[in-house]
mmCIF file of all heavy atoms in Angstrom:
data_model
loop_
_atom_site.group_PDB
_atom_site.id
_atom_site.type_symbol
_atom_site.label_atom_id
_atom_site.label_comp_id
_atom_site.label_asym_id
_atom_site.label_seq_id
_atom_site.Cartn_x
_atom_site.Cartn_y
_atom_site.Cartn_z
ATOM 1 N N LEU A 267 54.294 155.228 63.877
ATOM 2 C CA LEU A 267 54.556 155.602 65.266
ATOM 3 C C LEU A 267 54.820 154.363 66.114
ATOM 4 O O LEU A 267 55.761 154.325 66.912
ATOM 5 C CB LEU A 267 53.355 156.376 65.824
ATOM 6 C CG LEU A 267 53.413 156.741 67.308
ATOM 7 C CD1 LEU A 267 54.449 157.827 67.548
ATOM 8 C CD2 LEU A 267 52.033 157.203 67.801
ATOM 9 N N LEU A 268 54.004 153.341 65.926
ATOM 10 C CA LEU A 268 54.208 152.113 66.686
ATOM 11 C C LEU A 268 55.464 151.396 66.228
ATOM 12 O O LEU A 268 56.211 150.850 67.056
ATOM 13 C CB LEU A 268 52.992 151.203 66.574
ATOM 14 C CG LEU A 268 51.971 151.395 67.709
ATOM 15 C CD1 LEU A 268 51.226 152.720 67.558
ATOM 16 C CD2 LEU A 268 51.008 150.236 67.797
ATOM 17 N N LEU A 269 55.696 151.387 64.924
ATOM 18 C CA LEU A 269 56.890 150.729 64.408
ATOM 19 C C LEU A 269 58.147 151.392 64.951
ATOM 20 O O LEU A 269 59.162 150.727 65.211
ATOM 21 C CB LEU A 269 56.881 150.766 62.876
ATOM 22 C CG LEU A 269 57.916 149.911 62.154
ATOM 23 C CD1 LEU A 269 57.810 148.441 62.534
ATOM 24 C CD2 LEU A 269 57.752 150.064 60.644
ATOM 25 N N ASN A 270 58.082 152.713 65.147
ATOM 26 C CA ASN A 270 59.225 153.467 65.675
ATOM 27 C C ASN A 270 59.221 153.526 67.202
ATOM 28 O O ASN A 270 59.897 154.371 67.793
ATOM 29 C CB ASN A 270 59.228 154.888 65.114
ATOM 30 C CG ASN A 270 59.596 154.928 63.646
ATOM 31 O OD1 ASN A 270 60.082 153.950 63.091
ATOM 32 N ND2 ASN A 270 59.360 156.061 63.005
ATOM 33 N N LYS A 271 58.434 152.660 67.815
ATOM 34 C CA LYS A 271 58.402 152.510 69.270
ATOM 35 C C LYS A 271 58.028 153.800 69.987
ATOM 36 O O LYS A 271 58.595 154.153 71.025
ATOM 37 C CB LYS A 271 59.744 151.976 69.782
ATOM 38 C CG LYS A 271 60.103 150.615 69.193
ATOM 39 C CD LYS A 271 61.449 150.114 69.705
ATOM 40 C CE LYS A 271 61.779 148.746 69.109
ATOM 41 N NZ LYS A 271 63.079 148.219 69.586
ATOM 42 N N GLY A 272 57.055 154.507 69.409
ATOM 43 C CA GLY A 272 56.516 155.686 70.071
ATOM 44 C C GLY A 272 57.044 157.007 69.580
ATOM 45 O O GLY A 272 56.651 158.062 70.103
ATOM 46 N N LYS A 273 57.904 156.990 68.573
ATOM 47 C CA LYS A 273 58.489 158.233 68.064
ATOM 48 C C LYS A 273 57.961 158.561 66.667
ATOM 49 O O LYS A 273 57.701 157.672 65.866
ATOM 50 C CB LYS A 273 60.014 158.120 67.994
ATOM 51 C CG LYS A 273 60.713 158.030 69.342
ATOM 52 C CD LYS A 273 62.226 157.980 69.173
ATOM 53 C CE LYS A 273 62.942 157.911 70.507
ATOM 54 N NZ LYS A 273 64.423 157.851 70.329
ATOM 55 N N TRP A 274 57.827 159.859 66.410
ATOM 56 C CA TRP A 274 57.515 160.357 65.070
ATOM 57 C C TRP A 274 58.485 161.483 64.746
ATOM 58 O O TRP A 274 58.570 162.460 65.479
ATOM 59 C CB TRP A 274 56.071 160.851 64.976
ATOM 60 C CG TRP A 274 55.742 161.491 63.655
ATOM 61 C CD1 TRP A 274 55.604 162.820 63.394
ATOM 62 C CD2 TRP A 274 55.560 160.808 62.403
ATOM 63 N NE1 TRP A 274 55.336 163.019 62.064
ATOM 64 C CE2 TRP A 274 55.291 161.804 61.427
ATOM 65 C CE3 TRP A 274 55.583 159.468 62.014
ATOM 66 C CZ2 TRP A 274 55.062 161.489 60.090
ATOM 67 C CZ3 TRP A 274 55.353 159.164 60.673
ATOM 68 C CH2 TRP A 274 55.101 160.158 59.732
ATOM 69 N N ASN A 275 59.245 161.289 63.678
ATOM 70 C CA ASN A 275 60.277 162.255 63.288
ATOM 71 C C ASN A 275 61.218 162.573 64.444
ATOM 72 O O ASN A 275 61.615 163.724 64.658
ATOM 73 C CB ASN A 275 59.647 163.543 62.751
ATOM 74 C CG ASN A 275 59.086 163.367 61.355
ATOM 75 O OD1 ASN A 275 59.444 162.437 60.630
ATOM 76 N ND2 ASN A 275 58.181 164.252 60.959
ATOM 77 N N GLY A 276 61.552 161.552 65.223
ATOM 78 C CA GLY A 276 62.505 161.694 66.313
ATOM 79 C C GLY A 276 61.911 162.197 67.611
ATOM 80 O O GLY A 276 62.589 162.193 68.644
ATOM 81 N N GLU A 277 60.670 162.644 67.607
ATOM 82 C CA GLU A 277 60.017 163.156 68.814
ATOM 83 C C GLU A 277 59.240 162.044 69.493
ATOM 84 O O GLU A 277 58.494 161.307 68.845
ATOM 85 C CB GLU A 277 59.067 164.304 68.461
ATOM 86 C CG GLU A 277 58.329 164.871 69.660
ATOM 87 C CD GLU A 277 57.343 165.961 69.301
ATOM 88 O OE1 GLU A 277 57.314 166.368 68.115
ATOM 89 O OE2 GLU A 277 56.579 166.399 70.195
ATOM 90 N N ILE A 278 59.408 161.933 70.813
ATOM 91 C CA ILE A 278 58.672 160.925 71.577
ATOM 92 C C ILE A 278 57.227 161.384 71.757
ATOM 93 O O ILE A 278 56.959 162.400 72.389
ATOM 94 C CB ILE A 278 59.320 160.675 72.942
ATOM 95 C CG1 ILE A 278 60.752 160.133 72.779
ATOM 96 C CG2 ILE A 278 58.480 159.687 73.758
ATOM 97 C CD1 ILE A 278 61.503 159.977 74.089
#
Side-chain angles (χ1 to χ4, degrees):
L267 175 71
L268 267 72
L269 191 57
N270 289 347
K271 300 179 180 180
K273 292 182 179 180
W274 175 256
N275 285 341
E277 179 183 354
I278 298 175

